[in-house]
Amino acid sequence: MADTEALDPRFRALVPAEARLERLIDGLKWVEGPVWFDEAETLLVSDIPNNRMLRWRPGRGVDTFRQPSDFSNGNTRDREGRLVTCEHGTRRVTRTEADGTITVLADRHRGRRLNSPNDVVVKSDGTIWFTDPPYGILSDYEGYKADSEQEGNFVFRLDPASGELRVVADDFDKPNGLAFSPDESLLYIADSGISHDPAGPHHIRRFAVEGAALRDLGVFAVIDPGTADGLRVDRHGHVWTSAGDGVQVLAPDGTLLGRIRTPEIASNLCFGAGRLFITATSAVYAIAVNTA
Ligand code: MG
């Protein structure tokens, strides 16, 4: 079976027909949280159940970046290029400074511990938006089993300048990956509730960003098979989402343009150096793309 499938002519402008999946890392348990550092030509990923972060560099292969990683999950970079990480084990969001020290950005809401921050994105104004489903406290597999101290599985906005942490969405089953549109007028947020409930949501919702608040614009796309976990938006506004069969590429109007198939369930993705990096269960892949 081909690695890619075009369902709409627009897809081939994004993913050339000759593009092939290249496996960069394998032997992982459940890999998530890819983030690319262009200046260092470095990809970081979280191998969650193995409680480690790995580093991959072209021509140099893979090594360990951080172990233990406090069961890290989603990663991104802030406006200064610093690593921002969601941690299940410590139930917090952290920033890694240039000297390697770790700063806690958020670990409590109204005095109570967060569930297990999952994925995170930074807006151009420096605010940090993240999701807080309970995957890291449901069992000891991806963190430490514990009761939730929150009244729901919220989406948060953190202002690191003031320290203010506010709930921007409170009606998700299990909020997961999230990404802004190129002009930041829209925020896409996955709900992966189907992971623990066959009747649960497996879709991406779209919100209008109105200052520090969100206005619900409804379901953007239902993802099948599987669900959206991590997602990214390219510079043209296409939504690239993980799914049960790999990565699906959606037009801004929700039309499915095509797919990149992976041998196992895809969890997340990121762009870098003319490629799309895909984390998929036990392995990490790259494929050439014409966008970023
Ligand atoms: Mg996730």
Side-chain angles (χ1 to χ4, degrees), residues 30 32-33 48 73-74 118-119 131 135 175-177 192 229-230 267-268:
W30 176 252
E32 251 277 8
I48 306 176
N73 188 337
N118 187 291
D119 217 341
T131 55
Y135 291 111
N176 208 316
S192 56
D229 186 337
S267 65
N268 214 329

PDB file of all heavy atoms in Angstrom, residues 30 32-33 48 73-74 118-119 131 135 175-177 192 229-230 267-268, ligand 1:
ATOM      1  N   TRP A  30       5.085   4.042  23.586  1.00  0.00           N
ATOM      2  CA  TRP A  30       4.019   4.936  23.085  1.00  0.00           C
ATOM      3  C   TRP A  30       4.659   6.308  22.969  1.00  0.00           C
ATOM      4  O   TRP A  30       4.910   6.969  23.984  1.00  0.00           O
ATOM      5  CB  TRP A  30       2.800   4.964  24.011  1.00  0.00           C
ATOM      6  CG  TRP A  30       1.751   5.945  23.547  1.00  0.00           C
ATOM      7  CD1 TRP A  30       1.428   7.149  24.114  1.00  0.00           C
ATOM      8  CD2 TRP A  30       0.895   5.817  22.392  1.00  0.00           C
ATOM      9  NE1 TRP A  30       0.440   7.772  23.394  1.00  0.00           N
ATOM     10  CE2 TRP A  30       0.091   6.976  22.333  1.00  0.00           C
ATOM     11  CE3 TRP A  30       0.738   4.839  21.395  1.00  0.00           C
ATOM     12  CZ2 TRP A  30      -0.866   7.184  21.330  1.00  0.00           C
ATOM     13  CZ3 TRP A  30      -0.214   5.060  20.391  1.00  0.00           C
ATOM     14  CH2 TRP A  30      -1.006   6.208  20.378  1.00  0.00           C
ATOM     15  N   GLU A  32       5.116  10.213  21.700  1.00  0.00           N
ATOM     16  CA  GLU A  32       4.281  11.414  21.616  1.00  0.00           C
ATOM     17  C   GLU A  32       5.185  12.649  21.569  1.00  0.00           C
ATOM     18  O   GLU A  32       6.406  12.548  21.580  1.00  0.00           O
ATOM     19  CB  GLU A  32       3.380  11.490  22.874  1.00  0.00           C
ATOM     20  CG  GLU A  32       1.904  11.221  22.614  1.00  0.00           C
ATOM     21  CD  GLU A  32       1.193  12.485  22.116  1.00  0.00           C
ATOM     22  OE1 GLU A  32       1.852  13.491  21.834  1.00  0.00           O
ATOM     23  OE2 GLU A  32      -0.045  12.432  21.984  1.00  0.00           O
ATOM     24  N   GLY A  33       4.526  13.816  21.510  1.00  0.00           N
ATOM     25  CA  GLY A  33       5.180  15.081  21.773  1.00  0.00           C
ATOM     26  C   GLY A  33       6.366  15.463  20.909  1.00  0.00           C
ATOM     27  O   GLY A  33       7.375  15.948  21.435  1.00  0.00           O
ATOM     28  N   ILE A  48       6.437   7.907  26.389  1.00  0.00           N
ATOM     29  CA  ILE A  48       5.777   8.147  27.684  1.00  0.00           C
ATOM     30  C   ILE A  48       5.913   6.977  28.660  1.00  0.00           C
ATOM     31  O   ILE A  48       6.412   7.157  29.769  1.00  0.00           O
ATOM     32  CB  ILE A  48       4.297   8.553  27.507  1.00  0.00           C
ATOM     33  CG1 ILE A  48       4.164   9.751  26.557  1.00  0.00           C
ATOM     34  CG2 ILE A  48       3.686   8.899  28.865  1.00  0.00           C
ATOM     35  CD1 ILE A  48       2.719  10.141  26.269  1.00  0.00           C
ATOM     36  N   ASN A  73       4.814  14.310  28.024  1.00  0.00           N
ATOM     37  CA  ASN A  73       3.942  14.033  26.880  1.00  0.00           C
ATOM     38  C   ASN A  73       4.169  15.109  25.824  1.00  0.00           C
ATOM     39  O   ASN A  73       5.198  15.121  25.166  1.00  0.00           O
ATOM     40  CB  ASN A  73       2.488  13.948  27.361  1.00  0.00           C
ATOM     41  CG  ASN A  73       1.531  13.467  26.283  1.00  0.00           C
ATOM     42  OD1 ASN A  73       1.811  13.575  25.090  1.00  0.00           O
ATOM     43  ND2 ASN A  73       0.399  12.946  26.675  1.00  0.00           N
ATOM     44  N   GLY A  74       3.256  16.058  25.669  1.00  0.00           N
ATOM     45  CA  GLY A  74       3.373  17.059  24.613  1.00  0.00           C
ATOM     46  C   GLY A  74       4.499  18.047  24.860  1.00  0.00           C
ATOM     47  O   GLY A  74       4.803  18.397  26.002  1.00  0.00           O
ATOM     48  N   ASN A 118      -1.410  17.400  28.781  1.00  0.00           N
ATOM     49  CA  ASN A 118      -1.211  16.485  27.660  1.00  0.00           C
ATOM     50  C   ASN A 118      -0.508  17.133  26.489  1.00  0.00           C
ATOM     51  O   ASN A 118       0.451  16.597  25.953  1.00  0.00           O
ATOM     52  CB  ASN A 118      -2.583  15.949  27.224  1.00  0.00           C
ATOM     53  CG  ASN A 118      -2.494  14.861  26.190  1.00  0.00           C
ATOM     54  OD1 ASN A 118      -2.110  15.104  25.058  1.00  0.00           O
ATOM     55  ND2 ASN A 118      -2.826  13.642  26.588  1.00  0.00           N
ATOM     56  N   ASP A 119      -1.016  18.293  26.070  1.00  0.00           N
ATOM     57  CA  ASP A 119      -0.415  18.930  24.901  1.00  0.00           C
ATOM     58  C   ASP A 119      -0.517  20.438  25.073  1.00  0.00           C
ATOM     59  O   ASP A 119      -1.376  20.936  25.808  1.00  0.00           O
ATOM     60  CB  ASP A 119      -1.100  18.468  23.616  1.00  0.00           C
ATOM     61  CG  ASP A 119      -0.113  18.316  22.466  1.00  0.00           C
ATOM     62  OD1 ASP A 119       1.001  18.900  22.555  1.00  0.00           O
ATOM     63  OD2 ASP A 119      -0.438  17.648  21.482  1.00  0.00           O
ATOM     64  N   THR A 131      -3.966  21.457  27.345  1.00  0.00           N
ATOM     65  CA  THR A 131      -5.100  20.602  27.685  1.00  0.00           C
ATOM     66  C   THR A 131      -4.736  19.745  28.897  1.00  0.00           C
ATOM     67  O   THR A 131      -3.572  19.411  29.117  1.00  0.00           O
ATOM     68  CB  THR A 131      -5.476  19.688  26.503  1.00  0.00           C
ATOM     69  OG1 THR A 131      -4.313  18.939  26.103  1.00  0.00           O
ATOM     70  CG2 THR A 131      -5.963  20.510  25.321  1.00  0.00           C
ATOM     71  N   TYR A 135      -5.307  11.198  31.319  1.00  0.00           N
ATOM     72  CA  TYR A 135      -4.599   9.978  30.880  1.00  0.00           C
ATOM     73  C   TYR A 135      -3.428   9.590  31.797  1.00  0.00           C
ATOM     74  O   TYR A 135      -3.152   8.411  31.975  1.00  0.00           O
ATOM     75  CB  TYR A 135      -4.084  10.143  29.445  1.00  0.00           C
ATOM     76  CG  TYR A 135      -5.178  10.192  28.411  1.00  0.00           C
ATOM     77  CD1 TYR A 135      -5.459  11.368  27.728  1.00  0.00           C
ATOM     78  CD2 TYR A 135      -5.939   9.065  28.133  1.00  0.00           C
ATOM     79  CE1 TYR A 135      -6.464  11.416  26.777  1.00  0.00           C
ATOM     80  CE2 TYR A 135      -6.951   9.099  27.189  1.00  0.00           C
ATOM     81  CZ  TYR A 135      -7.215  10.288  26.512  1.00  0.00           C
ATOM     82  OH  TYR A 135      -8.218  10.334  25.577  1.00  0.00           O
ATOM     83  N   PRO A 175      -9.855  16.556  26.329  1.00  0.00           N
ATOM     84  CA  PRO A 175      -9.158  17.466  25.410  1.00  0.00           C
ATOM     85  C   PRO A 175      -7.729  16.992  25.214  1.00  0.00           C
ATOM     86  O   PRO A 175      -7.104  16.485  26.142  1.00  0.00           O
ATOM     87  CB  PRO A 175      -9.223  18.814  26.125  1.00  0.00           C
ATOM     88  CG  PRO A 175      -9.305  18.468  27.579  1.00  0.00           C
ATOM     89  CD  PRO A 175     -10.112  17.185  27.633  1.00  0.00           C
ATOM     90  N   ASN A 176      -7.220  17.153  23.999  1.00  0.00           N
ATOM     91  CA  ASN A 176      -5.918  16.567  23.694  1.00  0.00           C
ATOM     92  C   ASN A 176      -5.075  17.562  22.885  1.00  0.00           C
ATOM     93  O   ASN A 176      -4.763  18.642  23.386  1.00  0.00           O
ATOM     94  CB  ASN A 176      -6.152  15.220  22.995  1.00  0.00           C
ATOM     95  CG  ASN A 176      -5.031  14.252  23.217  1.00  0.00           C
ATOM     96  OD1 ASN A 176      -3.859  14.614  23.132  1.00  0.00           O
ATOM     97  ND2 ASN A 176      -5.359  13.011  23.523  1.00  0.00           N
ATOM     98  N   GLY A 177      -4.737  17.268  21.637  1.00  0.00           N
ATOM     99  CA  GLY A 177      -3.895  18.183  20.871  1.00  0.00           C
ATOM    100  C   GLY A 177      -4.606  19.490  20.553  1.00  0.00           C
ATOM    101  O   GLY A 177      -5.837  19.545  20.517  1.00  0.00           O
ATOM    102  N   SER A 192     -10.437  13.393  22.417  1.00  0.00           N
ATOM    103  CA  SER A 192     -10.145  11.967  22.180  1.00  0.00           C
ATOM    104  C   SER A 192     -10.889  11.070  23.161  1.00  0.00           C
ATOM    105  O   SER A 192     -10.411  10.008  23.538  1.00  0.00           O
ATOM    106  CB  SER A 192      -8.636  11.734  22.283  1.00  0.00           C
ATOM    107  OG  SER A 192      -8.140  12.169  23.538  1.00  0.00           O
ATOM    108  N   ASP A 229      -5.372  12.932  18.035  1.00  0.00           N
ATOM    109  CA  ASP A 229      -4.637  13.103  19.296  1.00  0.00           C
ATOM    110  C   ASP A 229      -3.893  14.430  19.129  1.00  0.00           C
ATOM    111  O   ASP A 229      -4.439  15.490  19.420  1.00  0.00           O
ATOM    112  CB  ASP A 229      -3.719  11.887  19.494  1.00  0.00           C
ATOM    113  CG  ASP A 229      -3.009  11.858  20.829  1.00  0.00           C
ATOM    114  OD1 ASP A 229      -2.852  12.926  21.441  1.00  0.00           O
ATOM    115  OD2 ASP A 229      -2.582  10.766  21.263  1.00  0.00           O
ATOM    116  N   GLY A 230      -2.664  14.389  18.605  1.00  0.00           N
ATOM    117  CA  GLY A 230      -1.974  15.643  18.317  1.00  0.00           C
ATOM    118  C   GLY A 230      -2.318  16.171  16.941  1.00  0.00           C
ATOM    119  O   GLY A 230      -2.662  15.403  16.035  1.00  0.00           O
ATOM    120  N   SER A 267       0.119   9.283  16.874  1.00  0.00           N
ATOM    121  CA  SER A 267      -0.264  10.050  18.061  1.00  0.00           C
ATOM    122  C   SER A 267      -0.084  11.546  17.874  1.00  0.00           C
ATOM    123  O   SER A 267      -0.821  12.342  18.459  1.00  0.00           O
ATOM    124  CB  SER A 267       0.554   9.601  19.276  1.00  0.00           C
ATOM    125  OG  SER A 267       1.932   9.907  19.074  1.00  0.00           O
ATOM    126  N   ASN A 268       0.928  11.945  17.090  1.00  0.00           N
ATOM    127  CA  ASN A 268       1.214  13.382  17.011  1.00  0.00           C
ATOM    128  C   ASN A 268       2.155  13.630  15.837  1.00  0.00           C
ATOM    129  O   ASN A 268       2.629  12.679  15.200  1.00  0.00           O
ATOM    130  CB  ASN A 268       1.813  13.871  18.336  1.00  0.00           C
ATOM    131  CG  ASN A 268       1.410  15.290  18.685  1.00  0.00           C
ATOM    132  OD1 ASN A 268       1.196  16.116  17.797  1.00  0.00           O
ATOM    133  ND2 ASN A 268       1.304  15.569  19.973  1.00  0.00           N
TER     134      ASN A 268
HETATM  135 MG    MG B   1      -1.804  13.938  23.107  1.00  0.00          MG
END
